[in-house]
Amino acid sequence: MKLKKKLLSTVMLSTAALLALAGCGSKESGSASYSIAISQIVEHPSLDATREGFLKALEDAGIKAGDNLKVDVNIAQGDSTNNLSIAQKIASGKYDLALGIATPSALTLAQNVKDFPVLFAAVTDPLADKVVSSLEKPGANVTGASDTNPEAIVRLMDFIASDFPNVKNVGIVINEGESNAVIMAKKAEEALSAHGIKLVRAAATTSSEVKQAAESLIGRADAIYITLDNTVVTAADSIIQVANDNKLPFFSSDRDTVEKGAFATVGFKYYDHGYQVGQMAVDVLKNGKKPADMPVSVPDKLDLILNLKAAEAQGIDVTDAMKDKVKDKENNIIQ
């Protein structure tokens, strides 16, 4: 219990610091016209970028933190008890809207908040995880944007099969306790199977286990792949190290991990994803739209993204044929 209290205390301190930086809730900023709460399961680049994009969309619509907007940011530090406490706190508060970033936070908000709108972002399969009951007509007070277009997984697996003919086994570091990771892994396994390639699993239930799981794939896999698995993405640096040390191509499901040192993904910018959800929030706050009538959206700006420095570190010969598959070469071929 002491550890849980300490973690929750850390969350509250983190929230206070973020609010202070934004100038929210200070006497100088005056009374805000809007008040929103954000619940985020853990801090890592993709989720942080999602939050930043969300707030920028509000700002561009004239809803600015520290001016006419109060923002209560809560980070659960990957802890389920903290996540529930945050959702319960938000549910009992007076907010115009709440945002859940990542599946655990979105689901817990949806289960607890009934009196005001809830939006979600960075959720892989909101239907399978029962965040909403329908993608077209979500119903109730919840809607948002999925961060997964199933086509992205298939296209990435097709890229591995066509451009890495020596890859016969793809290793995946995965927390089987994250439903979003399980769903994406199944889709990847089906896509790879169509090419006669096997998916080899290495389990990691905490971020501290990720490096050991990645190391267990040495000799069993010809490449490494990860999903939008919060446990694993948080420790992506350790996989990059293993991939570089052992000359194993490393493929991720998000751009931010590619920018850090994975070789490739088929994806988009999480900042843009968050901005998209922020625009939905503007429709709710300023235009009176109801989440029940707002379809769940998915990313539509997909492109192959390559990191050439990562390729060199992982012993990959980047061919012209690979580069030709990138639509926006200026932004999506990272030097």
Side-chain angles (χ1 to χ4, degrees):
M1 286 297 294
K2 288 182 179 180
L3 178 58
K4 299 297 185 186
K5 289 180 180 178
K6 184 177 180 181
L7 282 168
L8 190 55
S9 176
T10 301
V11 174
M12 298 311 176
L13 286 171
S14 176
T15 301
L18 284 165
L19 288 173
L21 285 172
C24 299
S26 66
K27 291 182 180 179
E28 290 77 13
S29 64
S31 177
S33 300
Y34 302 98
S35 179
I36 66 172
I38 298 176
S39 176
Q40 182 175 318
I41 190 62
V42 71
E43 290 177 293
H44 67 62
S46 295
L47 301 187
D48 295 345
T50 299
R51 187 179 71 243
E52 292 165 7
F54 175 82
L55 292 173
K56 186 61 169 67
L58 291 175
E59 182 179 329
D60 287 349
I63 305 174
K64 185 177 180 180
D67 185 359
N68 61 343
L69 172 66
K70 288 184 178 179
V71 186
D72 177 15
V73 179
N74 302 265
I75 311 295
Q77 307 296 359
D79 183 89
S80 59
T81 301
N82 286 347
N83 187 44
L84 176 59
S85 296
I86 289 167
Q88 291 172 337
K89 184 201 80 167
I90 291 173
S92 64
K94 295 182 179 180
Y95 299 100
D96 297 298
L97 181 145
L99 171 69
I101 302 178
T103 302
S105 295
L107 179 59
T108 309
L109 278 182
Q111 291 171 336
N112 285 272
V113 178
K114 304 299 179 183
D115 297 332
F116 50 87
V118 174
L119 298 186
F120 60 79
V123 174
T124 298
D125 194 333
L127 194 59
D129 286 315
K130 300 181 180 179
V131 180
V132 294
S133 58
S134 167
L135 298 180
E136 291 299 320
K137 292 283 186 179
N141 63 320
V142 183
T143 191
S146 169
D147 62 351
T148 301
N149 184 327
E151 181 188 347
I153 300 173
V154 174
R155 283 174 55 180
L156 183 59
M157 299 307 116
D158 288 348
F159 174 67
I160 294 172
S162 64
D163 291 76
F164 293 81
N166 294 327
V167 171
K168 304 302 179 186
N169 296 285
V170 173
I172 181 171
V173 180
I174 183 171
N175 178 5
E176 299 281 359
E178 287 202 30
S179 59
N180 55 313
V182 173
I183 292 167
M184 293 184 71
K186 182 179 179 182
K187 189 71 178 179
E189 187 168 33
E190 291 171 351
L192 288 171
S193 180
H195 298 287
I197 301 172
K198 292 183 179 180
L199 189 70
V200 181
R201 285 173 165 77
T205 57
T206 66
S207 295
S208 63
E209 296 174 357
V210 168
K211 184 176 182 181
Q212 183 178 356
E215 290 173 337
S216 76
L217 293 170
I218 300 170
R220 297 195 297 141
D222 308 304
I224 299 176
Y225 164 69
I226 62 171
T227 67
L228 300 173
D229 183 325
N230 294 301
T231 301
V232 176
V233 173
T234 302
D237 286 339
S238 61
I239 303 178
I240 292 168
Q241 180 183 339
V242 171
N244 292 351
D245 290 347
N246 294 275
K247 302 303 179 186
L248 289 171
F250 176 26
F251 302 90
S252 72
S253 295
D254 66 294
R255 180 191 179 93
D256 296 291
T257 302
V258 172
E259 290 181 350
K260 291 176 72 174
F263 167 57
T265 191
V266 172
F268 54 92
K269 291 183 177 180
Y270 268 82
Y271 181 92
D272 294 340
H273 172 66
Y275 195 95
Q276 180 182 19
V277 182
Q279 290 176 315
M280 297 176 76
V282 171
D283 271 340
V284 172
L285 296 172
K286 297 187 73 172
N287 302 326
K289 286 195 175 181
K290 304 295 183 183
D293 303 321
M294 301 171 69
V296 174
S297 60
V298 298
D300 56 4
K301 297 179 181 179
L302 297 177
D303 197 4
L304 178 65
I305 303 165
L306 305 177
N307 184 327
L308 301 189
K309 287 185 178 179
E312 183 178 358
Q314 293 160 24
I316 301 167
D317 179 19
V318 181
T319 65
D320 289 339
M322 291 181 186
K323 294 179 181 179
D324 286 343
K325 293 180 180 180
V326 180
K327 297 175 184 177
D328 183 356
K329 293 179 173 59
E330 181 178 351
N331 292 305
N332 293 333
I333 294 181
I334 301 167
Q335 303 291 335

